[in-house]
Amino acid sequence: MKRILILGGGFGGVYAALHLEKRLRRELDAGLVEVSLINRDNYIVFQPMLPEVISGSIGLVDTITPIRRLCPRTNLYTRTIETIDLDRRRVVAAAGFGSQQLSLEYDHLVIALGNVTSFAGQTGLAEHALPFKYLGDALVLRNHAIHVLEEADIERDPEMRRNLLTFVVAGGGFSGVEAVAELNDFVRAAARSFRHIDPTEIRVVLLHSGKLILPELPPSLAAFAQDLLMKRGVELRLEARLGGATADGALLASGERIPTRTLVSTVPSGPNPLVAALPCKMDRGRLVTTPHLELPEHPDVWAVGDCALIVDARTGEPSPPTAQHATREARCVAENIAARLEGSALRPFAFKALGKMGSLGHRSAVAEVFGVKVSGFLAWWLWRTIYLMKLPGLDRKIRVAVDWTLDLLLPPDIVQLRTDRSIGLRREHYEPGEIICEEGGHGDWLYIVVDGEVEVAKQVPGHGSVPLRRLGPGDCFGEIALLGDHVRTATARSLTAVNLLAVDRDAFQALFSTLPPLRDFVSRLIEERMAPSRAADAAAGSARLMETTSPRG
Amino acid sequence: MKRILILGGGFGGVYAALHLEKRLRRELDAGLVEVSLINRDNYIVFQPMLPEVISGSIGLVDTITPIRRLCPRTNLYTRTIETIDLDRRRVVAAAGFGSQQLSLEYDHLVIALGNVTSFAGQTGLAEHALPFKYLGDALVLRNHAIHVLEEADIERDPEMRRNLLTFVVAGGGFSGVEAVAELNDFVRAAARSFRHIDPTEIRVVLLHSGKLILPELPPSLAAFAQDLLMKRGVELRLEARLGGATADGALLASGERIPTRTLVSTVPSGPNPLVAALPCKMDRGRLVTTPHLELPEHPDVWAVGDCALIVDARTGEPSPPTAQHATREARCVAENIAARLEGSALRPFAFKALGKMGSLGHRSAVAEVFGVKVSGFLAWWLWRTIYLMKLPGLDRKIRVAVDWTLDLLLPPDIVQLRTDRSIGLRREHYEPGEIICEEGGHGDWLYIVVDGEVEVAKQVPGHGSVPLRRLGPGDCFGEIALLGDHVRTATARSLTAVNLLAVDRDAFQALFSTLPPLRDFVSRLIEERMAPSRAADAAAGSARLMETTSPRG
């Protein structure tokens, strides 16, 4: 029996399984061939419809299709892949409920692992920017947008309110433009249900590094899209590049800071670490393939989709990383594997894209189909029709068609669906001179300095802010507020760029009451700090700069 | 201006706001009255439809309605309430994005805080049982059910597979019966999409402490429900009480253990801690009210719903904690507050329930309406019709009606929607003699002993399992597997009942690399342990019982 193993459940992986099931139907039924697929989730995400999850115009789960339904003859392993061993022809996946890893051997391997969102090397983005790639990301963004509207509705400080009501999307390609269009429509429509939000205070900003958004499209369509977005209230910042982020601001490469609590970054993606670790020929993080989609040094190992560099046999150009191409590559790979099994000739990959389309929200879109440019309502109608046809699975087609019909009739949904309230730990980034926590404020977090320097200061009547101590890597602060229902006893401010680890009340109590070295450490810390803090209150003026007394590593 | 403040967004709170808006429309428009409501979520959950979220026959968000849409003239504060100060007539809510708490003063206060799920005092339930009260619970249960099916499909160990395919629901009241009915329908229908699951291995168990389920209903209806559930494959365990839980089993009070990875407990609920902390007259955790729903010692403070003990003026009996009663109490309280503002007479609360209904899944139900008993399809049709009418909000009515129509036509959805993958910390409970982690297995968790005793042992060729050390509160184990890609070097087993704190790889790396006392502690620990473990390998036989060498607190 020949075992075909597919890694990844995106368009490349799932369509490879689908075409293999069709092409090798008899062999599968006779037990001569086995097709397996490993993917972290049990569904495929239909990316083009992801932006509509933001506004809720498509039901949460209707943009995704269960892989089991699409490929009923494929063995699906819903696990995380840990290692790929090309020499031993074996793939190991993480343990599930038990403690045993899963080890799968193969005769043919199809690598369709795509790429991953990577904010590495960009200051503060991993901590504070919202990615936009997976279904979970769209759901998080939607809930976050509702959350800031909820808060803005009851916020009395005008500066804070404008901060809450500013939404920034970085990246003017298809994905950024579609996200900003849906976000803008949704926020402006939803705001009508909030009694105290002034719609003129809402600001939606699109950052794009080039002179014209949608570089994939002809300039006339891009210009149309720009005009339309501006007409709908989106602020376009062209030739502006995102440089970093903090909890309450987007930092541009120019040094400018846009105060916001909602920064969506669609730009950065890097190679999947599993692919990057393979001992294969790579080109800018992508696996180099033969024209038949096989790896040159590894016969019977194939690669498709965004993780592969595939040169089109007709044009000699590398294929772009789109769903259209991934599905065609998947068909080609399925045919070539079948040909190899039968001993017949392989065919090289060649495909001319049918067109490109981008939705602009609220019944408008831009499209170039078979070389014809279309924009506005007609393009939107085309967009919906074509994508509905392309959406895998008949039941999903019906559900989305119904969603769209209801969406024309009903107001947008504003329920904030928080499924998980326990956070535990999070990382934060601050630029120099920012306030981390403020005296008298309320705080449920203990902070540990990972790197950088933090100054802790206290208001002393008649003497203003008196610095108490400086903290460096390995030091903690904020512990006093966690020990009872105390307010913050001092203000902490970043002196340099600072990275922090924040531990919430529950995690703090679980860890620090259980682990003796931590318990000792915190009780010593508090003893030391309560004393000088009382002293400072009494001295009331001797503005000493006290070095930290906490133990350093 | 009179400020009316409502605490809680269940049926009691939201319908109080709704009726106040109707009753005081002119005063609200003239700015003479202000109605505010504080609730953690911005929606009200329609509890009766919650079980249908398990099977996905209703869309995830369609059982909930945004409070803003229902009560457009009410100020909604989506915050967690921290303190209620009846003397100063003030309520304080937690801080939002900023660090400032929210302090609200009132002239009239309506307490509608319901009750909370509480597993306190029940061994292992807080750690391993799934509650079933909030929308998040239903979503978690659904995803968990799909997850165990995914794992069962690829599990080769038959015992483990049966463990994964056993589903236990504790509590034979309305909520438990509806949950088990939906869970049973869903699991059996969904299993058809899994290639390797044998439907005869699926076991769905309902635990009930009495002799007949549904004690709220007449015995003949309860008996009908029992027969129907059994016919559909639910295993009824009557006069069986849940005593505790571990990661892989439900423990009955009789001492019996049912191996399962899915234990749903609908039974335990306790008073809301905010209500329990009030200096008011209480009866079994509920606020005692006057017949006009006011607190006897606190004029202008009112209580409705499950948190209040309300004696019916007509029957002299306490009102049961149902949505029907809460909505009627809400209307009564709204009228009485309006009467108080106008100086007219208050009216006492009296209401006769119209009926009781429970869905049994798949087109069957039981109902008693105006004293008439109905069961089967007709009851199911009644159930759907009445609840559709009662569902708040026209747009929700339409969405649910559409959901139900699609549900008749389309197969059940099996996508596992995990929105959050970062766990960080979790608590675990083990009964004596259970294996916590196994030598050679793969593990991504560090364990800290909270209480109890754990034995660590190692297989030595020719000598079987050799105990290495005993661990007690404050000791750690499993750290070696976290430091690289190592397998577990020893087996840990509970000697007594053990409570643990498990720290995952990410949280471990974040905390332990950042905090010097922890870093020192772990590196010392590993040094100490690697040495004796090597010694044990070498000695290969001197079966010593080594006392732990890790520092205790």
Side-chain angles (χ1 to χ4, degrees):
Chain A
M1 189 179 66
K2 292 290 179 187
R3 296 153 303 178
I4 305 171
L5 179 58
I6 301 167
L7 308 183
F11 280 97
V14 170
Y15 277 84
L18 235 150
H19 287 295
L20 282 168
E21 284 194 11
K22 270 189 211 160
R23 188 68 178 67
L24 299 173
R25 185 170 205 139
R26 255 172 311 160
E27 290 84 348
L28 276 163
D29 285 344
L32 300 171
V33 166
E34 186 186 74
V35 179
S36 304
L37 190 150
I38 314 184
N39 192 44
R40 196 176 52 171
D41 293 308
N42 75 354
Y43 54 79
I44 172 174
V45 180
F46 194 63
Q47 303 274 353
M49 287 182 183
L50 213 48
E52 301 212 17
V53 169
I54 302 173
S55 61
S57 61
I58 296 188
L60 278 182
V61 297
D62 296 348
T63 53
I64 57 184
T65 310
I67 295 173
R68 290 181 189 285
R69 290 271 159 73
L70 289 177
C71 316
R73 289 153 195 270
T74 300
N75 295 318
L76 176 65
Y77 296 88
T78 314
R79 292 275 180 97
T80 307
I81 300 166
E82 294 205 328
T83 49
I84 304 169
D85 188 337
L86 296 182
D87 292 330
R88 297 196 197 156
R89 304 175 85 82
R90 191 166 66 185
V91 172
V92 176
F97 274 99
S99 58
Q100 295 308 312
Q101 288 177 313
L102 183 78
S103 178
L104 295 173
E105 298 187 348
Y106 61 80
D107 298 297
H108 283 270
L109 183 69
V110 180
I111 303 176
L113 290 165
N115 53 25
V116 297
T117 305
S118 158
F119 289 132
Q122 289 183 278
T123 324
L125 288 194
E127 292 86 351
H128 303 291
L130 301 164
F132 193 74
K133 183 173 171 73
Y134 299 107
L135 180 65
D137 299 339
L139 186 54
V140 166
L141 175 55
R142 171 187 165 76
N143 281 335
H144 181 85
I146 298 169
H147 190 185
V148 292
L149 290 176
E150 290 287 341
E151 286 293 320
D153 189 62
I154 55 180
E155 181 60 56
R156 284 152 199 179
D157 173 21
E159 197 189 324
M160 180 70 167
R161 201 169 56 233
R162 279 192 298 269
N163 183 326
L164 289 167
L165 291 175
T166 302
F167 302 84
V168 179
V169 176
F174 277 123
S175 142
V177 166
E178 295 191 341
V180 84
E182 284 290 328
L183 188 61
N184 184 58
D185 284 358
F186 174 62
V187 167
R188 292 183 192 277
R192 278 179 225 130
S193 299
F194 292 80
R195 306 185 72 198
H196 307 293
I197 291 182
D198 172 1
T200 63
E201 285 194 337
I202 297 174
R203 199 178 155 201
V204 181
V205 183
L206 177 65
L207 304 177
H208 181 58
S209 55
K211 284 190 177 164
L212 203 57
I213 60 170
L214 294 174
E216 303 92 334
L217 284 182
S220 63
L221 285 179
F224 173 88
Q226 285 197 178
D227 287 349
L228 189 92
L229 288 180
M230 283 196 285
K231 218 178 287 164
R232 296 217 177 125
V234 175
E235 200 180 314
L236 287 178
R237 299 293 303 268
L238 300 174
E239 299 185 81
R241 201 181 282 273
L242 186 66
T246 65
D248 59 359
L251 307 172
L252 305 196
S254 63
E256 193 194 344
R257 178 174 172 278
I258 303 177
T260 180
R261 295 274 171 175
T262 314
L263 169 63
V264 184
S265 175
T266 61
V267 182
S269 69
N272 190 311
L274 287 167
V275 172
L278 288 178
C280 300
K281 203 176 149 200
M282 311 280 270
D283 183 342
R284 268 159 298 165
R286 295 164 82 181
L287 291 164
V288 174
T289 65
T290 68
H292 308 115
L293 311 185
E294 212 169 4
L295 299 193
E297 317 88 342
H298 297 275
D300 299 342
V301 178
W302 316 77
V304 294
D306 295 4
C307 70
L309 183 86
I310 293 167
V311 175
D312 193 287
R314 205 172 30 75
T315 63
E317 294 287 312
S319 300
T322 69
Q324 265 185 78
H325 283 85
T327 49
R328 295 305 174 117
E329 288 158 18
R331 188 153 98 189
C332 176
V333 105
E335 282 167 8
N336 282 348
I337 290 174
R340 174 71 51 79
L341 294 178
E342 291 158 1
S344 58
L346 307 188
R347 76 166 175 88
F349 176 74
F351 170 60
K352 189 175 180 313
L354 307 172
K356 294 166 186 166
M357 315 194 273
S359 161
L360 301 174
H362 197 64
R363 295 176 213 182
S364 195
V366 280
E368 190 190 18
V369 187
F370 299 119
V372 180
K373 293 180 235 170
V374 197
S375 60
F377 181 82
L378 180 62
W380 176 80
W381 185 86
L382 258 181
W383 188 98
R384 286 212 158 173
T385 311
I386 292 178
Y387 279 136
L388 194 60
M389 276 160 40
K390 293 273 175 202
L391 184 69
L394 176 66
D395 63 321
R396 280 306 189 271
K397 285 187 177 56
I398 295 174
R399 284 187 197 273
V400 167
V402 169
D403 287 338
W404 278 340
T405 311
L406 288 180
D407 182 48
L408 297 176
L409 306 169
L410 303 178
D413 208 323
I414 54 165
V415 294
Q416 188 192 355
L417 186 74
R418 284 174 291 184
T419 55
D420 193 72
R421 286 165 217 280
S422 65
I423 302 174
L425 299 175
R426 70 173 181 214
R427 292 180 183 278
E428 295 187 357
H429 172 80
Y430 292 86
E431 288 292 299
E434 287 194 282
I435 288 178
I436 299 162
C437 62
E438 202 161 12
E439 188 174 346
H442 222 79
D444 279 345
W445 300 86
L446 163 87
Y447 294 96
I448 305 170
V449 182
V450 177
D451 50 51
E453 255 192 304
V454 173
E455 184 188 72
V456 178
K458 203 174 160 59
Q459 287 292 327
V460 177
H463 294 82
S465 172
V466 177
L468 287 182
R469 61 184 84 87
R470 279 175 187 232
L471 304 178
D475 290 336
C476 296
F477 60 97
E479 69 287 343
I480 293 169
L482 280 194
L483 286 175
D485 211 21
H486 298 295
V487 295
R488 296 284 188 204
T489 55
T491 296
R493 185 189 298 268
S494 53
L495 292 174
T496 62
V498 170
N499 286 306
L500 298 175
L501 191 68
V503 181
D504 77 0
R505 191 180 288 267
D506 289 344
F508 174 81
Q509 267 157 7
L511 274 168
F512 288 66
S513 67
T514 309
L515 216 58
L518 272 187
R519 199 170 50 208
D520 299 348
F521 167 71
V522 171
S523 56
R524 216 166 48 237
L525 196 63
I526 286 166
E527 222 166 76
E528 285 164 2
R529 292 220 177 137
M530 290 305 265
S533 149
R534 277 192 224 103
D537 284 347
S542 56
R544 301 166 289 161
L545 179 82
M546 290 176 45
E547 278 299 308
T548 170
T549 45
S550 70
R552 296 224 185 165
Chain B
M1 188 179 67
K2 293 289 179 187
R3 296 153 304 179
I4 306 171
L5 179 59
I6 302 167
L7 308 183
F11 281 97
V14 169
Y15 277 85
L18 234 150
H19 287 295
L20 282 167
E21 284 194 9
K22 270 189 210 160
R23 186 71 179 65
L24 298 173
R25 184 170 204 139
R26 254 173 311 160
E27 289 83 347
L28 276 164
D29 285 345
L32 299 171
V33 167
E34 186 186 74
V35 179
S36 303
L37 190 152
I38 315 184
N39 192 45
R40 198 177 49 172
D41 293 308
N42 76 355
Y43 54 80
I44 173 176
V45 179
F46 194 63
Q47 303 274 353
M49 288 183 184
L50 213 48
E52 302 212 16
V53 170
I54 301 173
S55 60
S57 61
I58 295 188
L60 277 182
V61 297
D62 295 348
T63 54
I64 57 183
T65 310
I67 296 174
R68 292 182 187 284
R69 289 269 159 75
L70 289 177
C71 316
R73 288 152 196 271
T74 299
N75 296 317
L76 176 66
Y77 296 89
T78 315
R79 292 275 180 97
T80 307
I81 300 165
E82 294 206 326
T83 50
I84 303 170
D85 188 338
L86 296 181
D87 292 330
R88 297 196 197 159
R89 306 176 83 81
R90 191 168 64 185
V91 172
V92 175
F97 273 99
S99 58
Q100 294 309 311
Q101 289 178 311
L102 183 78
S103 177
L104 294 174
E105 299 188 347
Y106 61 80
D107 298 297
H108 283 270
L109 183 69
V110 180
I111 302 176
L113 289 165
N115 54 24
V116 296
T117 305
S118 158
F119 290 131
Q122 289 182 278
T123 323
L125 287 194
E127 292 85 353
H128 303 292
L130 299 165
F132 193 73
K133 185 175 169 70
Y134 300 107
L135 179 66
D137 298 339
L139 185 56
V140 166
L141 175 55
R142 172 189 165 75
N143 281 334
H144 181 84
I146 298 169
H147 190 184
V148 292
L149 291 177
E150 290 286 341
E151 286 294 320
D153 189 62
I154 55 180
E155 181 60 55
R156 286 151 199 180
D157 174 22
E159 196 189 325
M160 180 71 168
R161 200 171 55 234
R162 279 194 298 271
N163 182 325
L164 290 167
L165 290 176
T166 302
F167 303 83
V168 179
V169 176
F174 276 123
S175 142
V177 166
E178 295 191 340
V180 84
E182 285 288 328
L183 188 60
N184 184 58
D185 284 358
F186 174 62
V187 166
R188 291 182 192 278
R192 279 179 225 130
S193 300
F194 292 81
R195 307 184 73 196
H196 308 292
I197 291 181
D198 172 2
T200 64
E201 285 194 336
I202 296 174
R203 200 178 155 202
V204 181
V205 182
L206 177 66
L207 304 178
H208 180 58
S209 55
K211 283 189 179 164
L212 202 57
I213 60 169
L214 294 173
E216 303 93 333
L217 284 182
S220 64
L221 285 179
F224 173 87
Q226 284 197 179
D227 287 348
L228 189 92
L229 289 180
M230 283 194 287
K231 216 178 290 164
R232 297 218 175 126
V234 175
E235 198 180 314
L236 286 178
R237 299 294 301 269
L238 300 174
E239 300 184 80
R241 202 181 281 275
L242 186 66
T246 64
D248 58 359
L251 307 172
L252 305 197
S254 64
E256 193 194 345
R257 179 174 171 278
I258 303 176
T260 179
R261 294 275 171 175
T262 313
L263 169 63
V264 184
S265 175
T266 61
V267 182
S269 68
N272 190 309
L274 287 167
V275 172
L278 287 178
C280 300
K281 205 178 150 197
M282 312 279 271
D283 183 342
R284 269 160 296 165
R286 295 164 80 182
L287 291 164
V288 174
T289 66
T290 67
H292 307 116
L293 311 187
E294 212 169 3
L295 298 194
E297 318 88 342
H298 296 276
D300 299 342
V301 178
W302 316 77
V304 294
D306 296 4
C307 69
L309 183 86
I310 293 167
V311 174
D312 194 289
R314 206 171 29 76
T315 62
E317 294 287 312
S319 301
T322 69
Q324 265 183 78
H325 283 84
T327 50
R328 295 304 174 117
E329 288 158 17
R331 188 154 96 187
C332 176
V333 106
E335 282 168 9
N336 282 347
I337 290 175
R340 175 70 53 77
L341 293 178
E342 290 159 2
S344 55
L346 307 188
R347 76 168 176 89
F349 177 75
F351 169 61
K352 189 175 180 315
L354 307 173
K356 293 166 186 166
M357 313 193 275
S359 161
L360 301 174
H362 198 64
R363 295 174 214 182
S364 195
V366 280
E368 189 190 21
V369 187
F370 300 119
V372 180
K373 293 181 234 171
V374 197
S375 60
F377 181 81
L378 180 63
W380 176 79
W381 185 85
L382 258 179
W383 189 98
R384 287 215 157 172
T385 309
I386 292 178
Y387 279 137
L388 195 60
M389 275 161 39
K390 293 273 176 203
L391 184 70
L394 176 66
D395 63 320
R396 279 306 188 272
K397 285 187 177 56
I398 296 173
R399 285 187 196 272
V400 168
V402 170
D403 287 339
W404 278 339
T405 312
L406 288 181
D407 182 48
L408 297 176
L409 307 170
L410 302 178
D413 207 322
I414 55 164
V415 294
Q416 186 192 357
L417 185 73
R418 286 175 290 184
T419 55
D420 194 71
R421 287 165 216 278
S422 64
I423 303 174
L425 299 176
R426 71 174 181 212
R427 291 179 184 277
E428 295 186 358
H429 173 80
Y430 292 85
E431 288 292 300
E434 287 194 282
I435 288 178
I436 299 163
C437 62
E438 203 160 11
E439 188 173 347
H442 220 79
D444 278 344
W445 300 85
L446 163 87
Y447 295 97
I448 305 170
V449 182
V450 176
D451 49 52
E453 255 192 303
V454 173
E455 184 188 72
V456 178
K458 204 174 161 59
Q459 287 293 327
V460 177
H463 292 82
S465 172
V466 177
L468 286 183
R469 61 185 83 88
R470 280 176 186 230
L471 304 178
D475 289 336
C476 296
F477 62 97
E479 70 286 343
I480 293 170
L482 281 196
L483 285 176
D485 212 20
H486 299 295
V487 295
R488 297 285 188 201
T489 56
T491 295
R493 185 190 299 267
S494 53
L495 293 175
T496 62
V498 169
N499 287 306
L500 298 175
L501 191 67
V503 182
D504 77 0
R505 192 181 286 268
D506 288 344
F508 174 81
Q509 267 157 7
L511 274 168
F512 287 63
S513 65
T514 309
L515 256 182
L518 273 187
R519 198 169 51 207
D520 299 348
F521 167 71
V522 171
S523 54
R524 215 165 48 237
L525 196 63
I526 287 166
E527 222 166 77
E528 285 164 3
R529 293 220 175 133
M530 290 306 266
S533 150
R534 277 191 226 107
D537 284 347
S542 57
R544 300 165 291 161
L545 179 81
M546 290 177 42
E547 278 300 307
T548 170
T549 44
S550 70
R552 295 225 183 162

